[in-house]
Amino acid sequence: MNARVFVTLKNGVLDPQGKAIEGALGSLGFDGVDGVRQGKIFDLNVNASSKEEAEAKIVKMCEKLLANTVIENYSIELRD
């Protein structure tokens, strides 16, 4: 089962890298861009007998390693 996990900072958490990207875009002439937030994407191939089993495994991965759930949110997209 193929999956994609999106990890982003929670609202209200400062994002210095997003701010740096926003500033760089402005200095490159891309005006009108604000509120840039950066995140991470993980593509996984998970051995599972069902979508439910795959999702349960990925949730555990996110909770233990892929996301810092104190400051980050995650979402899972499963693909056949």
Side-chain angles (χ1 to χ4, degrees):
M1 181 86 44
N2 291 316
R4 179 167 276 177
V5 178
F6 300 89
V7 179
T8 56
L9 289 170
K10 291 182 176 181
N11 289 335
V13 175
L14 296 177
D15 185 356
Q17 187 173 1
K19 267 303 198 202
I21 293 166
E22 184 179 312
L25 288 170
S27 69
L28 291 171
F30 296 103
D31 298 328
V33 177
D34 61 359
V36 175
R37 308 280 288 175
Q38 64 86 33
K40 301 176 273 192
I41 297 175
F42 299 95
D43 288 322
L44 307 168
N45 187 359
V46 179
N47 292 326
S49 58
S50 67
K51 282 189 173 186
E52 293 78 17
E53 181 186 353
E55 186 167 5
K57 285 182 175 184
I58 296 167
V59 165
K60 286 181 182 177
M61 292 176 200
C62 290
E63 297 287 329
K64 291 185 177 200
L65 178 66
L66 300 180
N68 177 349
T69 57
V70 174
I71 63 169
E72 295 176 318
N73 292 318
Y74 64 87
S75 63
I76 301 166
E77 184 180 283
L78 293 174
R79 307 174 189 158
D80 291 327

Coordinates of all heavy atoms in Angstrom, one line a residue:
M1 N 0.8 -1.2 0.0 CA 0.0 0.0 0.0 C 0.9 1.2 0.0 O 1.8 1.4 0.8 CB -0.9 0.0 1.2 CG -1.8 1.1 1.4 SD -3.4 0.9 0.6 CE -3.9 -0.8 0.9
N2 N 0.7 2.1 -0.9 CA 1.4 3.4 -1.0 C 0.7 4.4 -0.2 O -0.5 4.5 -0.2 CB 1.6 3.8 -2.5 CG 2.5 2.9 -3.2 OD1 3.5 2.5 -2.8 ND2 2.1 2.6 -4.5
A3 N 1.5 5.3 0.5 CA 0.9 6.3 1.3 C 1.8 7.6 1.2 O 3.0 7.5 0.9 CB 0.8 5.9 2.7
R4 N 1.1 8.7 1.4 CA 1.8 10.0 1.5 C 1.4 10.6 2.8 O 0.2 10.7 3.1 CB 1.5 10.9 0.3 CG 2.2 12.2 0.4 CD 2.1 12.9 -0.9 NE 3.2 12.4 -1.7 CZ 3.5 12.8 -3.0 NH1 2.7 13.7 -3.6 NH2 4.5 12.3 -3.7
V5 N 2.4 11.0 3.6 CA 2.1 11.7 4.9 C 2.5 13.1 4.8 O 3.7 13.4 4.4 CB 2.8 11.0 6.0 CG1 2.6 11.7 7.4 CG2 2.4 9.5 6.1
F6 N 1.6 14.1 5.1 CA 1.9 15.5 5.1 C 2.0 15.9 6.6 O 1.2 15.7 7.4 CB 0.8 16.3 4.5 CG 0.5 15.9 3.0 CD1 -0.4 14.9 2.7 CD2 1.1 16.6 2.0 CE1 -0.7 14.5 1.4 CE2 0.8 16.2 0.7 CZ 0.0 15.2 0.4
V7 N 3.2 16.6 6.9 CA 3.4 17.1 8.2 C 3.6 18.6 8.2 O 4.4 19.1 7.4 CB 4.6 16.4 8.9 CG1 4.9 16.9 10.3 CG2 4.5 14.9 8.9
T8 N 2.8 19.3 8.9 CA 2.9 20.8 8.9 C 2.8 21.3 10.4 O 2.3 20.6 11.3 CB 1.7 21.4 8.2 OG1 0.4 20.9 8.7 CG2 1.7 21.0 6.7
L9 N 3.3 22.5 10.6 CA 3.3 23.1 11.9 C 1.9 23.5 12.2 O 1.1 23.9 11.3 CB 4.2 24.3 11.9 CG 5.7 24.1 11.9 CD1 6.4 25.4 11.7 CD2 6.1 23.4 13.2
K10 N 1.5 23.3 13.5 CA 0.2 23.8 13.9 C 0.0 25.3 13.8 O 1.1 26.0 13.9 CB -0.1 23.3 15.4 CG -0.2 21.8 15.5 CD -0.5 21.4 17.0 CE -0.7 19.9 17.1 NZ -1.0 19.5 18.4
N11 N -1.2 25.7 13.7 CA -1.4 27.2 13.7 C -1.0 27.8 15.0 O -1.1 27.1 16.1 CB -2.9 27.5 13.5 CG -3.4 27.2 12.1 OD1 -2.6 27.2 11.1 ND2 -4.7 26.9 11.9
G12 N -0.3 28.9 14.9 CA 0.2 29.6 16.1 C 1.6 29.2 16.5 O 2.2 29.9 17.3
V13 N 2.2 28.2 15.8 CA 3.6 27.8 16.0 C 4.4 28.7 15.1 O 4.1 28.7 13.9 CB 3.8 26.3 15.8 CG1 5.3 26.0 15.9 CG2 3.0 25.5 16.8
L14 N 5.4 29.4 15.6 CA 6.3 30.2 14.7 C 7.0 29.3 13.7 O 7.4 28.2 14.0 CB 7.3 31.0 15.6 CG 6.7 32.0 16.5 CD1 7.8 32.6 17.3 CD2 5.9 33.0 15.8
D15 N 7.1 29.8 12.5 CA 7.8 29.1 11.4 C 8.9 30.0 10.8 O 8.7 30.7 9.8 CB 6.7 28.7 10.3 CG 7.3 27.9 9.2 OD1 8.5 27.6 9.2 OD2 6.5 27.5 8.4
P16 N 10.1 30.0 11.4 CA 11.1 30.8 10.9 C 11.6 30.4 9.5 O 11.9 31.3 8.7 CB 12.3 30.6 11.9 CG 11.9 29.5 12.8 CD 10.4 29.2 12.6
Q17 N 11.5 29.2 9.2 CA 11.9 28.8 7.8 C 10.9 29.3 6.8 O 11.3 29.8 5.7 CB 12.1 27.3 7.7 CG 12.6 26.8 6.3 CD 12.9 25.4 6.3 OE1 12.7 24.6 7.2 NE2 13.4 24.9 5.1
G18 N 9.6 29.2 7.1 CA 8.6 29.8 6.3 C 8.8 31.3 6.1 O 8.6 31.8 5.0
K19 N 9.1 32.0 7.2 CA 9.4 33.5 7.1 C 10.6 33.7 6.2 O 10.6 34.7 5.4 CB 9.6 34.0 8.5 CG 8.4 34.6 9.2 CD 7.8 35.6 8.4 CE 6.9 36.5 9.2 NZ 5.9 37.2 8.3
A20 N 11.6 32.9 6.3 CA 12.8 33.1 5.5 C 12.5 32.9 4.0 O 12.9 33.7 3.1 CB 13.9 32.2 5.9
I21 N 11.7 31.9 3.7 CA 11.2 31.6 2.3 C 10.4 32.8 1.8 O 10.6 33.3 0.7 CB 10.5 30.3 2.2 CG1 11.4 29.1 2.5 CG2 9.8 30.2 0.9 CD1 10.7 27.8 2.8
E22 N 9.5 33.3 2.6 CA 8.7 34.4 2.3 C 9.5 35.6 1.9 O 9.3 36.3 0.9 CB 7.7 34.8 3.5 CG 6.8 35.9 3.2 CD 5.9 36.1 4.4 OE1 5.3 35.1 5.0 OE2 5.7 37.3 4.8
G23 N 10.6 35.9 2.7 CA 11.5 37.0 2.5 C 12.2 36.8 1.2 O 12.4 37.8 0.4
A24 N 12.7 35.6 1.0 CA 13.5 35.3 -0.3 C 12.6 35.5 -1.5 O 13.1 36.0 -2.5 CB 14.0 33.9 -0.2
L25 N 11.4 35.0 -1.4 CA 10.5 35.2 -2.6 C 10.2 36.7 -2.9 O 10.3 37.1 -4.1 CB 9.1 34.5 -2.3 CG 9.1 33.0 -2.3 CD1 7.8 32.5 -1.8 CD2 9.4 32.5 -3.7
G26 N 10.1 37.5 -1.8 CA 9.9 38.9 -2.0 C 11.2 39.5 -2.7 O 11.1 40.4 -3.6
S27 N 12.4 39.1 -2.2 CA 13.6 39.7 -2.8 C 13.8 39.2 -4.2 O 14.6 39.8 -5.0 CB 14.8 39.3 -1.9 OG 15.1 38.0 -2.0
L28 N 13.2 38.1 -4.6 CA 13.3 37.6 -6.0 C 12.2 38.2 -6.9 O 12.1 37.9 -8.1 CB 13.2 36.1 -6.0 CG 14.4 35.3 -5.4 CD1 14.0 33.9 -5.3 CD2 15.6 35.5 -6.3
G29 N 11.4 39.1 -6.4 CA 10.4 39.8 -7.2 C 9.0 39.2 -7.2 O 8.2 39.6 -7.9
F30 N 8.8 38.2 -6.3 CA 7.5 37.6 -6.2 C 6.7 38.4 -5.1 O 6.7 38.0 -4.0 CB 7.6 36.1 -5.9 CG 8.3 35.3 -7.0 CD1 9.6 34.9 -6.8 CD2 7.6 35.0 -8.1 CE1 10.2 34.2 -7.8 CE2 8.2 34.3 -9.1 CZ 9.5 33.9 -9.0
D31 N 6.1 39.5 -5.5 CA 5.4 40.3 -4.6 C 4.0 39.7 -4.2 O 3.5 38.9 -5.0 CB 5.2 41.7 -5.2 CG 6.5 42.5 -5.4 OD1 7.5 42.2 -4.7 OD2 6.6 43.2 -6.4
G32 N 3.5 40.1 -3.1 CA 2.1 39.7 -2.7 C 2.1 38.3 -2.1 O 1.0 37.8 -2.0
V33 N 3.2 37.8 -1.7 CA 3.2 36.4 -1.1 C 3.4 36.6 0.4 O 4.3 37.3 0.8 CB 4.3 35.5 -1.7 CG1 4.3 34.2 -0.9 CG2 4.1 35.3 -3.2
D34 N 2.4 36.1 1.2 CA 2.6 36.2 2.6 C 2.0 34.9 3.3 O 1.4 34.1 2.7 CB 2.0 37.4 3.2 CG 0.5 37.5 3.0 OD1 -0.1 36.6 2.4 OD2 -0.1 38.5 3.4
G35 N 2.4 34.8 4.6 CA 1.9 33.6 5.3 C 2.5 32.3 4.9 O 1.8 31.2 5.0
V36 N 3.7 32.3 4.4 CA 4.4 31.1 3.9 C 4.6 30.1 5.1 O 5.2 30.6 6.1 CB 5.7 31.4 3.2 CG1 6.4 30.1 2.8 CG2 5.4 32.2 2.0
R37 N 4.2 28.9 5.0 CA 4.5 27.9 6.0 C 5.1 26.7 5.3 O 4.7 26.3 4.2 CB 3.2 27.4 6.6 CG 2.3 28.5 7.2 CD 2.7 29.0 8.5 NE 2.4 28.0 9.6 CZ 2.7 28.1 10.8 NH1 3.4 29.2 11.2 NH2 2.5 27.2 11.7
Q38 N 6.2 26.1 5.9 CA 6.9 25.0 5.3 C 6.4 23.7 6.0 O 5.9 23.8 7.2 CB 8.4 25.2 5.3 CG 9.0 25.3 6.7 CD 9.3 23.9 7.3 OE1 9.7 23.0 6.6 NE2 9.2 23.8 8.6
G39 N 6.6 22.6 5.4 CA 6.3 21.3 6.0 C 7.1 20.2 5.4 O 8.1 20.5 4.7
K40 N 6.7 19.0 5.7 CA 7.4 17.8 5.2 C 6.4 16.9 4.5 O 5.3 16.8 5.0 CB 8.1 17.1 6.4 CG 9.1 17.9 7.2 CD 9.6 17.1 8.3 CE 8.7 17.3 9.5 NZ 9.2 16.8 10.8
I41 N 6.9 16.1 3.6 CA 6.1 15.0 2.9 C 6.9 13.8 3.0 O 8.1 13.8 2.7 CB 5.8 15.4 1.5 CG1 4.9 16.6 1.4 CG2 5.1 14.2 0.8 CD1 4.7 17.1 0.0
F42 N 6.3 12.7 3.4 CA 6.9 11.4 3.4 C 6.1 10.5 2.5 O 4.9 10.4 2.6 CB 6.9 10.8 4.8 CG 7.6 11.6 5.9 CD1 7.0 12.5 6.7 CD2 9.0 11.4 6.0 CE1 7.7 13.2 7.6 CE2 9.7 12.1 7.0 CZ 9.0 13.0 7.8
D43 N 6.8 9.8 1.6 CA 6.1 8.8 0.7 C 6.6 7.4 1.3 O 7.8 7.2 1.4 CB 6.6 8.9 -0.7 CG 5.9 10.1 -1.4 OD1 4.8 10.4 -1.1 OD2 6.6 10.8 -2.2
L44 N 5.6 6.6 1.6 CA 5.8 5.3 2.2 C 5.2 4.2 1.4 O 4.2 4.4 0.8 CB 5.2 5.2 3.6 CG 5.6 6.4 4.6 CD1 4.7 6.3 5.8 CD2 7.1 6.2 5.0
N45 N 5.8 3.0 1.4 CA 5.2 1.8 0.9 C 5.1 0.8 2.1 O 6.1 0.4 2.6 CB 6.1 1.2 -0.2 CG 5.4 0.0 -0.9 OD1 4.3 -0.4 -0.5 ND2 6.1 -0.6 -1.9
V46 N 3.8 0.6 2.5 CA 3.6 -0.2 3.7 C 2.9 -1.5 3.4 O 2.0 -1.6 2.6 CB 2.6 0.6 4.6 CG1 2.3 -0.1 5.9 CG2 3.2 2.0 5.0
N47 N 3.5 -2.6 3.9 CA 2.9 -3.9 3.7 C 1.8 -4.1 4.7 O 2.0 -4.0 5.9 CB 4.0 -5.0 3.9 CG 5.0 -5.0 2.9 OD1 4.7 -4.7 1.7 ND2 6.2 -5.3 3.2
A48 N 0.5 -4.2 4.1 CA -0.6 -4.4 5.0 C -1.7 -5.1 4.1 O -1.7 -5.0 2.9 CB -1.2 -3.0 5.4
S49 N -2.6 -5.8 4.9 CA -3.6 -6.6 4.2 C -4.9 -5.7 3.9 O -5.7 -6.2 3.1 CB -4.0 -7.8 5.0 OG -4.5 -7.4 6.3
S50 N -5.0 -4.5 4.5 CA -6.1 -3.7 4.2 C -5.7 -2.2 4.4 O -4.7 -1.9 5.0 CB -7.3 -4.0 5.2 OG -6.9 -3.6 6.5
K51 N -6.6 -1.3 3.9 CA -6.3 0.1 4.1 C -6.3 0.5 5.6 O -5.6 1.3 6.0 CB -7.4 1.0 3.3 CG -7.1 1.1 1.8 CD -8.0 2.1 1.2 CE -7.6 2.3 -0.3 NZ -8.4 3.3 -0.9
E52 N -7.3 -0.1 6.3 CA -7.4 0.1 7.7 C -6.1 -0.3 8.5 O -5.6 0.5 9.3 CB -8.6 -0.6 8.3 CG -9.9 -0.1 7.8 CD -10.3 -0.6 6.4 OE1 -9.7 -1.6 5.9 OE2 -11.2 0.0 5.8
E53 N -5.5 -1.4 8.1 CA -4.3 -1.8 8.8 C -3.1 -0.9 8.4 O -2.3 -0.5 9.3 CB -3.9 -3.3 8.3 CG -2.7 -3.8 9.0 CD -2.2 -5.1 8.5 OE1 -3.0 -5.8 7.7 OE2 -1.1 -5.6 8.9
A54 N -3.1 -0.5 7.1 CA -2.0 0.4 6.7 C -2.1 1.7 7.4 O -1.1 2.3 7.9 CB -2.1 0.6 5.2
E55 N -3.3 2.3 7.5 CA -3.5 3.5 8.2 C -3.1 3.5 9.6 O -2.5 4.4 10.2 CB -5.0 4.0 8.0 CG -5.1 5.4 8.6 CD -6.5 6.1 8.2 OE1 -7.3 5.4 7.5 OE2 -6.6 7.2 8.5
A56 N -3.5 2.4 10.3 CA -3.2 2.2 11.7 C -1.7 2.2 11.9 O -1.1 2.8 12.8 CB -3.8 0.9 12.3
K57 N -1.0 1.5 11.0 CA 0.5 1.4 11.1 C 1.1 2.8 10.9 O 2.0 3.2 11.6 CB 1.1 0.5 10.0 CG 0.9 -1.0 10.3 CD 1.6 -1.8 9.2 CE 1.5 -3.3 9.5 NZ 2.2 -4.1 8.5
I58 N 0.6 3.5 9.9 CA 1.1 4.9 9.6 C 0.8 5.9 10.8 O 1.7 6.7 11.1 CB 0.6 5.4 8.3 CG1 1.1 4.5 7.2 CG2 1.1 6.8 8.0 CD1 0.4 4.7 5.8
V59 N -0.3 5.8 11.4 CA -0.6 6.6 12.5 C 0.4 6.4 13.6 O 0.9 7.3 14.2 CB -2.1 6.4 13.0 CG1 -2.3 7.0 14.4 CG2 -3.1 6.9 12.0
K60 N 0.7 5.1 13.9 CA 1.7 4.8 14.9 C 3.1 5.4 14.5 O 3.8 6.0 15.4 CB 1.8 3.3 15.1 CG 0.7 2.7 15.9 CD 0.9 1.2 16.1 CE -0.3 0.6 16.8 NZ -0.2 -0.8 16.9
M61 N 3.4 5.3 13.2 CA 4.7 5.9 12.8 C 4.7 7.4 13.0 O 5.8 8.0 13.4 CB 4.9 5.6 11.3 CG 5.1 4.2 10.9 SD 5.2 4.0 9.1 CE 4.9 2.2 9.0
C62 N 3.6 8.1 12.7 CA 3.6 9.5 12.8 C 3.7 9.9 14.3 O 4.4 10.8 14.7 CB 2.2 10.0 12.3 SG 2.2 10.0 10.5
E63 N 2.9 9.2 15.1 CA 2.9 9.5 16.6 C 4.3 9.2 17.2 O 4.6 9.9 18.2 CB 1.8 8.7 17.3 CG 0.4 8.9 16.8 CD -0.1 10.3 17.3 OE1 0.3 10.7 18.4 OE2 -0.9 10.9 16.5
K64 N 5.0 8.3 16.7 CA 6.3 7.9 17.4 C 7.5 8.6 16.7 O 8.5 8.8 17.4 CB 6.5 6.4 17.3 CG 5.6 5.7 18.2 CD 5.9 4.2 18.3 CE 4.9 3.5 19.3 NZ 5.4 2.3 19.7
L65 N 7.5 9.0 15.4 CA 8.7 9.4 14.8 C 8.4 10.6 13.8 O 9.1 11.6 13.8 CB 9.4 8.3 14.1 CG 10.6 8.6 13.3 CD1 11.7 9.1 14.2 CD2 11.1 7.5 12.4
L66 N 7.5 10.4 12.8 CA 7.4 11.3 11.7 C 7.0 12.7 12.0 O 7.3 13.7 11.4 CB 6.5 10.7 10.6 CG 6.9 9.3 10.1 CD1 5.9 8.9 9.0 CD2 8.3 9.4 9.5
A67 N 6.1 12.8 13.1 CA 5.6 14.2 13.5 C 5.9 14.4 14.9 O 5.8 13.5 15.8 CB 4.1 14.2 13.1
N68 N 6.2 15.6 15.3 CA 6.2 16.0 16.7 C 4.8 16.6 17.0 O 4.5 17.7 16.7 CB 7.3 17.1 16.9 CG 7.3 17.6 18.3 OD1 6.4 17.4 19.1 ND2 8.3 18.4 18.6
T69 N 4.0 15.7 17.5 CA 2.6 16.1 17.7 C 2.3 17.2 18.7 O 1.2 17.7 18.7 CB 1.7 14.8 18.1 OG1 2.3 14.3 19.3 CG2 1.8 13.8 17.0
V70 N 3.3 17.6 19.4 CA 3.1 18.8 20.2 C 3.0 20.1 19.4 O 2.2 20.9 19.7 CB 4.3 19.0 21.2 CG1 4.2 20.3 22.0 CG2 4.3 17.8 22.2
I71 N 3.8 20.1 18.3 CA 3.8 21.4 17.5 C 3.4 21.1 16.0 O 3.3 22.1 15.2 CB 5.2 22.1 17.5 CG1 6.2 21.2 17.0 CG2 5.5 22.5 18.9 CD1 7.6 21.8 16.7
E72 N 3.2 19.8 15.6 CA 2.9 19.5 14.2 C 1.6 18.7 14.1 O 1.3 17.9 14.9 CB 4.0 18.7 13.6 CG 5.3 19.5 13.5 CD 6.5 18.6 13.0 OE1 6.6 17.5 13.4 OE2 7.3 19.2 12.2
N73 N 0.9 19.0 13.0 CA -0.2 18.1 12.5 C 0.2 17.2 11.4 O 1.2 17.5 10.7 CB -1.3 19.0 12.0 CG -2.0 19.9 13.0 OD1 -2.2 19.4 14.1 ND2 -2.3 21.1 12.7
Y74 N -0.5 16.2 11.2 CA -0.2 15.3 10.1 C -1.5 14.8 9.4 O -2.5 14.7 10.1 CB 0.7 14.1 10.5 CG 0.1 13.1 11.4 CD1 -0.7 12.1 11.0 CD2 0.3 13.3 12.8 CE1 -1.3 11.2 11.9 CE2 -0.3 12.4 13.7 CZ -1.1 11.4 13.2 OH -1.6 10.5 14.1
S75 N -1.4 14.5 8.2 CA -2.5 13.9 7.5 C -2.0 12.8 6.6 O -0.8 12.8 6.1 CB -3.3 14.9 6.6 OG -2.5 15.5 5.6
I76 N -2.8 11.8 6.3 CA -2.4 10.6 5.6 C -3.2 10.4 4.4 O -4.4 10.5 4.4 CB -2.5 9.3 6.5 CG1 -1.7 9.5 7.8 CG2 -2.2 8.1 5.7 CD1 -2.0 8.5 8.9
E77 N -2.6 10.2 3.3 CA -3.3 9.9 2.0 C -2.8 8.5 1.5 O -1.7 8.3 1.2 CB -2.8 11.0 1.0 CG -3.5 10.9 -0.4 CD -2.9 12.0 -1.3 OE1 -3.3 13.2 -1.1 OE2 -2.1 11.7 -2.1
L78 N -3.8 7.6 1.5 CA -3.5 6.2 1.1 C -3.8 6.1 -0.4 O -4.8 6.6 -0.9 CB -4.3 5.2 1.9 CG -4.0 5.1 3.3 CD1 -5.0 4.2 4.0 CD2 -2.6 4.6 3.5
R79 N -3.0 5.3 -1.1 CA -3.2 5.0 -2.5 C -3.0 3.5 -2.8 O -2.2 2.9 -2.1 CB -2.1 5.8 -3.4 CG -2.0 7.2 -3.1 CD -0.9 7.8 -3.8 NE -0.6 9.2 -3.4 CZ 0.5 9.8 -3.6 NH1 1.5 9.2 -4.1 NH2 0.6 11.0 -3.2
D80 N -3.8 3.0 -3.7 CA -3.7 1.6 -4.0 C -2.4 1.3 -4.9 O -1.9 2.1 -5.6 CB -4.9 1.1 -4.7 CG -6.1 1.1 -3.8 OD1 -5.9 0.8 -2.6 OD2 -7.2 1.3 -4.3

